[in-house]
Every structure is written in C-alpha cells, then in structure tokens.
Amino acid sequence: MTENTSGGPEPSKPPEPSGVDLARVALRAAKDAARARGDAAQQKKQARRGGLRSGARADGRDPMALGSAINRLITERGWEAPAAVGGVMGRWPQIVGEDVAKHCVPEKYDEDERVLTVRCDSTAWATNLRLLAPTLVARLNEDLGHGRVTLIKVQGPGGPARRYGPLRAPGSTGPGDTYG
C-alpha cells in the first residue's frame, strides 16, 4: 500500500482487466449479439412460412371446430335471421305438420319485408293455408323470435306454360279458376 499525502493508507483500486479478460468479455458480447440476431432471423423465417407455430398450450392461432367457425362467421356477417329462417325451411314438416307439408312448400323469405312465401299444389290447399296463416305466423315467431315473420304470402299452383300461336286469343289467361 502506498501512503497518501494526508498520512493515511490509499484505498486500493481494482486491477484493470488484462488482455485475456478483455477478450473473454468481447467474446461473450459477440455471442449474445449473434444469438439475438439468430432469434430475430428465426422469427422472421417462421413469419414468412405462415406464422409462428403453436405450442402445447391453446392460443389464438389454434384451429377451431367447424361449428364454432360457422357460428362466428354467421355472427360477424349478421346472418342470424336468414340462417334461422333457413333452419325453419328445413324443419317445415315439424312446424306445420306432415299433412300440410305434403301439399305446401316454403319458397322464399324476404328479410326486408319479413314475408314468407309458400307455394301450395292446389287452390284448395292454398285456401286452407290462408286460413291457417295467423296461427303459423305466431308459431314461426315463437320459434324464430318476435317479429321475424309478419306475413305469410300463399301462392297457388303455377299454371301451364303459356303458348302463343295463331289459335290463341290475345290476353287469354287460360282456365283461371284452377290456377290462381
């Protein structure tokens, strides 16, 4: 120890790193930097290949079940009402009964006007369904939600194709009582 001018012992300084110690510090810093660059390059490569891979635990990148994906798509696009009405068209026989379902088929649903169009195979069944329409509207709204169907438009059978020719009277509607 060296003596200080004030008469006390001088505090000892840590020894300066030698060349070997400086080389070790520089090597460790270079290895850490290379590892960091390698990790960044690995992540870029995985992102280019289609994203990072999921591990053993569930996260947002995992595939979802088909039913969940379809329900999410229906909700995101706002297709709840058309999907519900489509389900009603598939369950038509359970809603109206087997007898009516044999003779009357739902054709289309107008979302804006909330009108369900039904075609019957005869004018007698069309008349019968017109009488049952308020009951069916109540049953459908009970199934779909209040106000989804406001009116059932009942159509009779379609007539035969109109034939035009020399023996046809212009403006003729054909046998009107049967097709209407």
Side-chain angles (χ1 to χ4, degrees):
M1 282 202 204
T2 58
E3 284 199 24
N4 194 341
T5 55
S6 63
E10 188 176 312
S12 62
K13 291 181 181 178
E16 297 227 3
S18 66
V20 174
D21 291 332
L22 286 174
R24 281 189 188 133
V25 170
L27 179 62
R28 185 176 304 126
K31 282 183 177 180
D32 289 342
R35 188 174 298 120
R37 280 193 313 270
D39 288 345
Q42 180 77 14
Q43 287 177 351
K44 282 183 184 177
K45 189 185 295 182
Q46 283 179 343
R48 273 186 263 134
R49 281 192 316 210
L52 299 172
R53 299 289 193 263
S54 176
R57 293 184 184 90
D59 65 5
R61 299 172 296 183
D62 287 340
M64 64 171 46
L66 181 62
S68 300
I70 290 174
N71 288 338
R72 184 170 139 198
L73 178 69
I74 287 172
T75 303
E76 286 175 356
R77 303 284 172 109
W79 294 340
E80 290 95 356
V85 172
V88 164
M89 290 188 178
R91 292 180 289 121
W92 183 252
Q94 289 86 17
I95 294 171
V96 297
E98 293 293 328
D99 297 352
V100 177
K102 287 179 188 175
H103 301 282
C104 303
V105 179
E107 281 194 338
K108 66 180 178 177
Y109 175 71
D110 185 3
E111 175 68 28
D112 298 331
E113 296 180 20
R114 300 179 187 262
V115 175
L116 178 67
T117 304
V118 179
R119 178 155 315 269
C120 297
D121 61 1
S122 71
T123 54
W125 275 104
T127 303
N128 189 20
L129 195 66
R130 284 186 190 104
L131 293 173
L132 292 174
T135 307
L136 289 178
V137 167
R139 196 178 301 169
L140 289 169
N141 283 329
E142 189 177 295
D143 194 327
L144 298 173
H146 181 69
R148 289 281 184 207
V149 178
T150 57
L151 179 70
I152 294 181
K153 188 175 181 181
V154 181
Q155 296 180 341
R162 300 201 181 218
R163 294 185 215 133
Y164 297 98
L167 300 177
R168 199 79 182 134
S172 171
T173 59
D177 186 40
T178 309
Y179 304 106

